[in-house]
Amino acid sequence: MERATSAASGIPVRKKPFRKRWDSPLAGYLFISPWLIGFLALTAYPMLLSLYYSFTDYTLMKPIEWVGLDNYERILMADDKFAQSLKLTFYYVLASVPLKLIAALMVALLLKKAVRGISVYRTAIYFPSLIGASIAVSLLWKNIFGVDGFFNKVLGFFGIPGTGWVTNPDTALWSLIGLSVWQFGSSMVIFLAGLKQIPNDLYEASAVDGAGKLKQFFKITLPMLSSTLFFNLIMGVINSFQMFTPAYVITGGGPMNSTYVYALYLYERAFSRYQLGYSSSLAWIMLILIVAAAVIINLTSKYWVFYESESQGGKRK
Protein backbone atom coordinates (compact mmCIF):
# COMPACT_ATOMS: atom_id res chain seq x y z
CA MET A 1 0.00 0.00 0.00
CA GLU A 2 1.42 3.38 -0.98
CA ARG A 3 1.76 6.06 1.72
CA ALA A 4 1.62 9.85 1.44
CA THR A 5 2.01 12.56 4.09
CA SER A 6 -0.68 15.13 4.70
CA ALA A 7 0.78 18.63 4.36
CA ALA A 8 -1.49 19.99 7.12
CA SER A 9 -1.09 17.40 9.87
CA GLY A 10 1.93 15.40 8.86
CA ILE A 11 -0.10 12.19 9.36
CA PRO A 12 0.61 9.44 6.80
CA VAL A 13 -2.33 8.95 4.40
CA ARG A 14 -2.90 5.64 2.63
CA LYS A 15 -3.40 5.84 -1.15
CA LYS A 16 -5.33 3.22 -3.10
CA PRO A 17 -3.25 1.07 -5.43
CA PHE A 18 -3.73 1.85 -9.10
CA ARG A 19 -5.68 -1.38 -9.64
CA LYS A 20 -8.17 -0.58 -6.88
CA ARG A 21 -9.05 2.70 -8.51
CA TRP A 22 -10.66 0.78 -11.40
CA ASP A 23 -12.86 -1.44 -9.25
CA SER A 24 -15.82 0.88 -9.88
CA PRO A 25 -18.36 -0.29 -12.51
CA LEU A 26 -17.81 3.04 -14.22
CA ALA A 27 -14.42 1.76 -15.37
CA GLY A 28 -16.12 -1.04 -17.30
CA TYR A 29 -18.50 1.36 -19.01
CA LEU A 30 -15.56 3.58 -19.88
CA PHE A 31 -13.80 0.75 -21.68
CA ILE A 32 -16.89 -0.33 -23.62
CA SER A 33 -17.98 3.24 -24.35
CA PRO A 34 -16.76 3.21 -28.01
CA TRP A 35 -18.90 0.16 -28.76
CA LEU A 36 -21.77 1.44 -26.62
CA ILE A 37 -21.83 4.82 -28.35
CA GLY A 38 -21.68 3.15 -31.75
CA PHE A 39 -24.51 0.75 -30.84
CA LEU A 40 -26.77 3.51 -29.53
CA ALA A 41 -26.06 5.92 -32.41
CA LEU A 42 -25.87 3.48 -35.33
CA THR A 43 -28.18 0.63 -34.30
CA ALA A 44 -30.59 1.38 -31.44
CA TYR A 45 -31.54 4.91 -32.51
CA PRO A 46 -32.12 4.03 -36.21
CA MET A 47 -34.22 1.02 -35.17
CA LEU A 48 -36.42 3.07 -32.87
CA LEU A 49 -36.73 5.79 -35.51
CA SER A 50 -37.69 3.17 -38.09
CA LEU A 51 -40.32 1.81 -35.71
CA TYR A 52 -41.78 5.30 -35.38
CA TYR A 53 -41.73 5.85 -39.15
CA SER A 54 -43.56 2.55 -39.67
CA PHE A 55 -46.66 4.13 -38.12
CA THR A 56 -46.45 7.24 -40.31
CA ASP A 57 -46.95 8.34 -43.90
CA TYR A 58 -43.41 9.56 -44.57
CA THR A 59 -42.41 10.14 -48.20
CA LEU A 60 -39.79 12.95 -48.03
CA MET A 61 -42.18 15.01 -50.14
CA LYS A 62 -44.48 16.16 -47.38
CA PRO A 63 -44.56 16.49 -43.58
CA ILE A 64 -44.69 13.30 -41.55
CA GLU A 65 -48.28 12.23 -40.86
CA TRP A 66 -49.21 9.69 -38.18
CA VAL A 67 -51.37 6.91 -39.67
CA GLY A 68 -51.18 4.26 -36.97
CA LEU A 69 -51.52 0.70 -38.28
CA ASP A 70 -52.62 1.75 -41.78
CA ASN A 71 -49.28 0.77 -43.35
CA TYR A 72 -49.40 -2.71 -41.85
CA GLU A 73 -53.06 -3.18 -42.82
CA ARG A 74 -52.31 -2.12 -46.39
CA ILE A 75 -49.31 -4.46 -46.60
CA LEU A 76 -51.14 -7.49 -45.27
CA MET A 77 -54.50 -6.92 -46.97
CA ALA A 78 -53.96 -5.08 -50.24
CA ASP A 79 -50.32 -5.39 -51.36
CA ASP A 80 -49.95 -8.11 -53.99
CA LYS A 81 -46.22 -7.50 -54.41
CA PHE A 82 -45.70 -8.10 -50.70
CA ALA A 83 -47.27 -11.55 -50.96
CA GLN A 84 -45.32 -12.38 -54.12
CA SER A 85 -41.96 -11.24 -52.74
CA LEU A 86 -42.58 -13.05 -49.45
CA LYS A 87 -43.42 -16.26 -51.29
CA LEU A 88 -40.22 -16.06 -53.36
CA THR A 89 -38.18 -15.31 -50.25
CA PHE A 90 -39.55 -18.35 -48.42
CA TYR A 91 -38.84 -20.47 -51.48
CA TYR A 92 -35.29 -19.13 -51.61
CA VAL A 93 -34.71 -19.78 -47.89
CA LEU A 94 -36.16 -23.30 -47.96
CA ALA A 95 -34.04 -24.25 -50.99
CA SER A 96 -30.73 -22.46 -50.37
CA VAL A 97 -30.22 -23.08 -46.64
CA PRO A 98 -30.44 -26.92 -46.67
CA LEU A 99 -28.38 -27.19 -49.87
CA LYS A 100 -25.73 -24.88 -48.44
CA LEU A 101 -25.54 -26.83 -45.18
CA ILE A 102 -25.29 -30.16 -46.99
CA ALA A 103 -22.51 -28.87 -49.25
CA ALA A 104 -20.65 -27.34 -46.30
CA LEU A 105 -20.86 -30.53 -44.24
CA MET A 106 -19.80 -32.83 -47.07
CA VAL A 107 -16.77 -30.68 -47.91
CA ALA A 108 -15.87 -30.37 -44.22
CA LEU A 109 -15.82 -34.17 -43.96
CA LEU A 110 -13.42 -34.31 -46.89
CA LEU A 111 -11.17 -31.57 -45.53
CA LYS A 112 -10.97 -33.24 -42.13
CA LYS A 113 -8.54 -35.80 -43.53
CA ALA A 114 -4.86 -35.21 -42.80
CA VAL A 115 -3.24 -35.11 -46.24
CA ARG A 116 -0.39 -33.08 -47.66
CA GLY A 117 -1.38 -29.54 -48.61
CA ILE A 118 -4.78 -29.73 -46.87
CA SER A 119 -4.43 -26.15 -45.60
CA VAL A 120 -4.15 -24.92 -49.20
CA TYR A 121 -7.36 -26.73 -50.14
CA ARG A 122 -9.16 -25.31 -47.11
CA THR A 123 -8.09 -21.78 -47.98
CA ALA A 124 -9.11 -22.16 -51.64
CA ILE A 125 -12.54 -23.50 -50.73
CA TYR A 126 -13.12 -20.84 -48.07
CA PHE A 127 -12.09 -17.96 -50.36
CA PRO A 128 -15.50 -17.49 -52.10
CA SER A 129 -17.10 -16.83 -48.72
CA LEU A 130 -14.35 -14.39 -47.83
CA ILE A 131 -15.29 -12.06 -50.66
CA GLY A 132 -18.97 -12.52 -49.82
CA ALA A 133 -22.00 -11.71 -51.97
CA SER A 134 -20.34 -8.59 -53.33
CA ILE A 135 -21.19 -6.69 -56.48
CA ALA A 136 -18.08 -8.04 -58.21
CA VAL A 137 -19.04 -11.66 -57.45
CA SER A 138 -22.62 -11.02 -58.59
CA LEU A 139 -21.42 -9.56 -61.89
CA LEU A 140 -19.10 -12.52 -62.38
CA TRP A 141 -21.97 -14.93 -61.68
CA LYS A 142 -24.17 -13.04 -64.14
CA ASN A 143 -21.56 -13.40 -66.88
CA ILE A 144 -20.93 -17.09 -66.14
CA PHE A 145 -24.63 -18.02 -66.39
CA GLY A 146 -25.56 -15.63 -69.18
CA VAL A 147 -26.60 -16.79 -72.65
CA ASP A 148 -23.01 -16.64 -73.91
CA GLY A 149 -21.51 -17.43 -70.51
CA PHE A 150 -18.90 -19.96 -69.51
CA PHE A 151 -21.44 -22.47 -68.18
CA ASN A 152 -23.28 -22.68 -71.51
CA LYS A 153 -19.98 -23.10 -73.35
CA VAL A 154 -19.14 -26.08 -71.13
CA LEU A 155 -22.56 -27.58 -71.80
CA GLY A 156 -22.13 -26.95 -75.52
CA PHE A 157 -18.83 -28.84 -75.47
CA PHE A 158 -20.78 -31.94 -74.42
CA GLY A 159 -23.57 -31.26 -76.91
CA ILE A 160 -26.06 -30.06 -74.31
CA PRO A 161 -28.11 -27.00 -75.32
CA GLY A 162 -27.87 -24.14 -72.85
CA THR A 163 -30.16 -21.29 -71.93
CA GLY A 164 -30.01 -17.85 -70.35
CA TRP A 165 -29.99 -19.11 -66.78
CA VAL A 166 -30.36 -15.63 -65.25
CA THR A 167 -32.80 -14.41 -67.91
CA ASN A 168 -35.13 -17.39 -67.88
CA PRO A 169 -38.01 -17.07 -65.36
CA ASP A 170 -37.83 -20.80 -64.66
CA THR A 171 -34.13 -20.84 -63.73
CA ALA A 172 -33.31 -17.29 -62.58
CA LEU A 173 -34.06 -17.90 -58.90
CA TRP A 174 -32.13 -21.16 -58.98
CA SER A 175 -29.10 -19.30 -60.30
CA LEU A 176 -29.24 -17.12 -57.17
CA ILE A 177 -29.66 -20.21 -55.02
CA GLY A 178 -26.59 -21.68 -56.70
CA LEU A 179 -24.59 -18.58 -55.81
CA SER A 180 -25.63 -18.93 -52.17
CA VAL A 181 -24.65 -22.61 -52.09
CA TRP A 182 -21.30 -21.83 -53.73
CA GLN A 183 -20.46 -19.53 -50.82
CA PHE A 184 -20.57 -22.27 -48.18
CA GLY A 185 -17.06 -21.57 -46.84
CA SER A 186 -18.06 -19.98 -43.51
CA SER A 187 -20.41 -22.83 -42.61
CA MET A 188 -17.77 -25.32 -43.74
CA VAL A 189 -15.14 -23.86 -41.40
CA ILE A 190 -17.57 -24.04 -38.46
CA PHE A 191 -18.46 -27.64 -39.33
CA LEU A 192 -14.77 -28.48 -39.60
CA ALA A 193 -14.14 -27.08 -36.12
CA GLY A 194 -17.04 -29.16 -34.77
CA LEU A 195 -15.77 -32.32 -36.45
CA LYS A 196 -12.38 -31.90 -34.81
CA GLN A 197 -14.08 -31.95 -31.39
CA ILE A 198 -15.57 -35.42 -31.90
CA PRO A 199 -13.36 -38.02 -30.12
CA ASN A 200 -11.84 -40.63 -32.41
CA ASP A 201 -12.49 -43.21 -29.68
CA LEU A 202 -16.17 -43.20 -30.64
CA TYR A 203 -15.38 -44.15 -34.22
CA GLU A 204 -12.87 -46.81 -33.16
CA ALA A 205 -15.29 -48.39 -30.72
CA SER A 206 -18.10 -48.43 -33.27
CA ALA A 207 -15.79 -49.94 -35.89
CA VAL A 208 -14.99 -52.77 -33.48
CA ASP A 209 -18.74 -53.38 -33.13
CA GLY A 210 -19.02 -53.61 -36.91
CA ALA A 211 -20.44 -50.17 -37.72
CA GLY A 212 -19.70 -48.96 -41.25
CA LYS A 213 -18.96 -45.43 -42.41
CA LEU A 214 -22.60 -44.65 -43.18
CA LYS A 215 -23.82 -45.85 -39.79
CA GLN A 216 -21.04 -43.93 -38.05
CA PHE A 217 -22.14 -40.78 -39.87
CA PHE A 218 -25.77 -41.02 -38.76
CA LYS A 219 -25.16 -42.44 -35.28
CA ILE A 220 -22.03 -40.52 -34.23
CA THR A 221 -21.14 -37.62 -36.53
CA LEU A 222 -24.57 -36.03 -36.92
CA PRO A 223 -25.62 -36.30 -33.23
CA MET A 224 -22.26 -34.96 -32.03
CA LEU A 225 -22.41 -32.20 -34.65
CA SER A 226 -26.04 -31.25 -34.04
CA SER A 227 -25.27 -28.14 -31.97
CA THR A 228 -22.97 -26.87 -34.73
CA LEU A 229 -25.66 -27.64 -37.30
CA PHE A 230 -28.15 -25.72 -35.18
CA PHE A 231 -25.93 -22.62 -35.18
CA ASN A 232 -25.29 -22.79 -38.94
CA LEU A 233 -29.00 -23.28 -39.58
CA ILE A 234 -29.97 -20.19 -37.57
CA MET A 235 -27.33 -18.03 -39.26
CA GLY A 236 -28.22 -19.37 -42.69
CA VAL A 237 -31.91 -18.58 -42.27
CA ILE A 238 -31.18 -15.05 -41.03
CA ASN A 239 -28.82 -14.29 -43.92
CA SER A 240 -31.10 -15.83 -46.56
CA PHE A 241 -34.08 -13.74 -45.52
CA GLN A 242 -31.98 -10.62 -46.08
CA MET A 243 -30.59 -11.61 -49.50
CA PHE A 244 -30.42 -8.48 -51.65
CA THR A 245 -27.19 -7.85 -53.60
CA PRO A 246 -27.34 -10.87 -55.97
CA ALA A 247 -31.00 -10.24 -56.83
CA TYR A 248 -30.36 -6.53 -57.37
CA VAL A 249 -27.20 -6.89 -59.46
CA ILE A 250 -27.78 -10.13 -61.38
CA THR A 251 -31.48 -10.00 -62.23
CA GLY A 252 -32.87 -6.74 -60.87
CA GLY A 253 -35.89 -8.69 -59.66
CA GLY A 254 -36.64 -10.11 -63.11
CA PRO A 255 -37.29 -11.72 -65.40
CA MET A 256 -41.05 -11.36 -64.90
CA ASN A 257 -40.50 -10.74 -61.18
CA SER A 258 -39.22 -14.30 -60.72
CA THR A 259 -36.43 -13.07 -58.38
CA TYR A 260 -38.29 -10.18 -56.80
CA VAL A 261 -37.39 -11.12 -53.24
CA TYR A 262 -38.53 -9.32 -50.10
CA ALA A 263 -35.39 -7.23 -49.50
CA LEU A 264 -35.49 -5.99 -53.09
CA TYR A 265 -39.11 -4.97 -52.72
CA LEU A 266 -38.29 -3.14 -49.49
CA TYR A 267 -35.41 -1.32 -51.21
CA GLU A 268 -37.62 -0.25 -54.11
CA ARG A 269 -40.27 1.18 -51.79
CA ALA A 270 -37.66 3.09 -49.79
CA PHE A 271 -35.23 4.39 -52.41
CA SER A 272 -37.17 4.35 -55.68
CA ARG A 273 -40.58 5.51 -54.48
CA TYR A 274 -39.25 7.25 -51.33
CA GLN A 275 -42.03 5.73 -49.23
CA LEU A 276 -39.95 5.57 -46.08
CA GLY A 277 -42.85 5.01 -43.72
CA TYR A 278 -44.19 2.12 -45.79
CA SER A 279 -40.73 0.58 -46.21
CA SER A 280 -40.13 0.85 -42.46
CA SER A 281 -43.26 -1.23 -41.93
CA LEU A 282 -41.91 -3.78 -44.41
CA ALA A 283 -38.61 -3.85 -42.53
CA TRP A 284 -40.28 -4.54 -39.20
CA ILE A 285 -42.38 -7.31 -40.74
CA MET A 286 -39.15 -8.86 -42.00
CA LEU A 287 -37.68 -8.62 -38.49
CA ILE A 288 -40.76 -10.32 -37.04
CA LEU A 289 -40.53 -13.11 -39.63
CA ILE A 290 -36.84 -13.70 -38.90
CA VAL A 291 -37.44 -13.77 -35.15
CA ALA A 292 -40.38 -16.15 -35.62
CA ALA A 293 -38.26 -18.48 -37.77
CA ALA A 294 -35.46 -18.44 -35.19
CA VAL A 295 -37.91 -19.15 -32.36
CA ILE A 296 -39.48 -22.07 -34.24
CA ILE A 297 -36.06 -23.58 -34.97
CA ASN A 298 -35.06 -23.10 -31.34
CA LEU A 299 -38.25 -24.75 -30.05
CA THR A 300 -37.74 -27.77 -32.30
CA SER A 301 -34.06 -28.06 -31.38
CA LYS A 302 -34.86 -30.06 -28.22
CA TYR A 303 -35.85 -32.96 -30.46
CA TRP A 304 -32.70 -33.12 -32.57
CA VAL A 305 -29.88 -31.10 -30.96
CA PHE A 306 -27.66 -33.07 -28.61
CA TYR A 307 -25.57 -31.42 -25.89
CA GLU A 308 -23.12 -33.53 -23.94
CA SER A 309 -23.99 -31.64 -20.75
CA GLU A 310 -27.62 -32.80 -21.09
CA SER A 311 -26.76 -36.50 -21.14
CA GLN A 312 -26.82 -38.92 -18.24
CA GLY A 313 -25.37 -42.34 -18.73
CA GLY A 314 -25.29 -41.88 -22.49
CA LYS A 315 -28.97 -40.88 -22.69
CA ARG A 316 -30.59 -37.50 -22.95
CA LYS A 317 -32.44 -36.23 -19.94
Side-chain angles (χ1 to χ4, degrees), residues 208-288:
V208 171
D209 291 337
K213 295 293 183 182
L214 189 61
K215 191 170 184 179
Q216 288 178 346
F217 176 76
F218 286 103
K219 296 295 184 180
I220 299 176
T221 303
L222 277 184
M224 296 297 291
L225 207 61
S226 58
S227 59
T228 306
L229 178 62
F230 172 68
F231 173 80
N232 278 334
L233 177 61
I234 290 287
M235 297 305 298
V237 168
I238 293 173
N239 292 331
S240 295
F241 264 108
Q242 301 177 81
M243 190 273 290
F244 168 76
T245 302
Y248 179 74
V249 175
I250 298 176
T251 62
M256 299 175 62
N257 291 333
S258 60
T259 60
Y260 198 62
V261 292
Y262 195 96
L264 191 61
Y265 178 48
L266 192 158
Y267 171 85
E268 180 189 301
R269 283 284 187 173
F271 300 105
S272 295
R273 304 186 189 183
Y274 301 106
Q275 298 175 348
L276 300 185
Y278 196 85
S279 62
S280 295
S281 301
L282 288 171
W284 277 92
I285 291 176
M286 175 186 281
L287 175 62
I288 293 172

Side-chain angles (χ1 to χ4, degrees), residues 71-150:
N71 286 335
Y72 293 95
E73 182 179 356
R74 181 181 170 191
I75 291 171
L76 298 175
M77 301 298 179
D79 193 338
D80 294 335
K81 285 191 174 182
F82 163 76
Q84 180 189 8
S85 64
L86 187 61
K87 178 182 176 181
L88 285 173
T89 302
F90 273 115
Y91 188 85
Y92 176 85
V93 172
L94 293 175
S96 64
V97 174
L99 291 175
K100 187 174 183 178
L101 292 178
I102 292 172
L105 180 55
M106 293 300 102
V107 175
L109 289 169
L110 293 175
L111 296 180
K112 181 188 175 184
K113 299 179 180 179
V115 297
R116 179 177 295 181
I118 191 65
S119 59
V120 177
Y121 296 124
R122 291 171 181 170
T123 303
I125 293 175
Y126 177 71
F127 185 74
S129 294
L130 187 64
I131 55 181
S134 63
I135 293 178
V137 172
S138 299
L139 289 174
L140 176 64
W141 203 260
K142 183 178 182 179
N143 290 330
I144 291 175
F145 289 93
V147 177
D148 299 322
F150 176 77

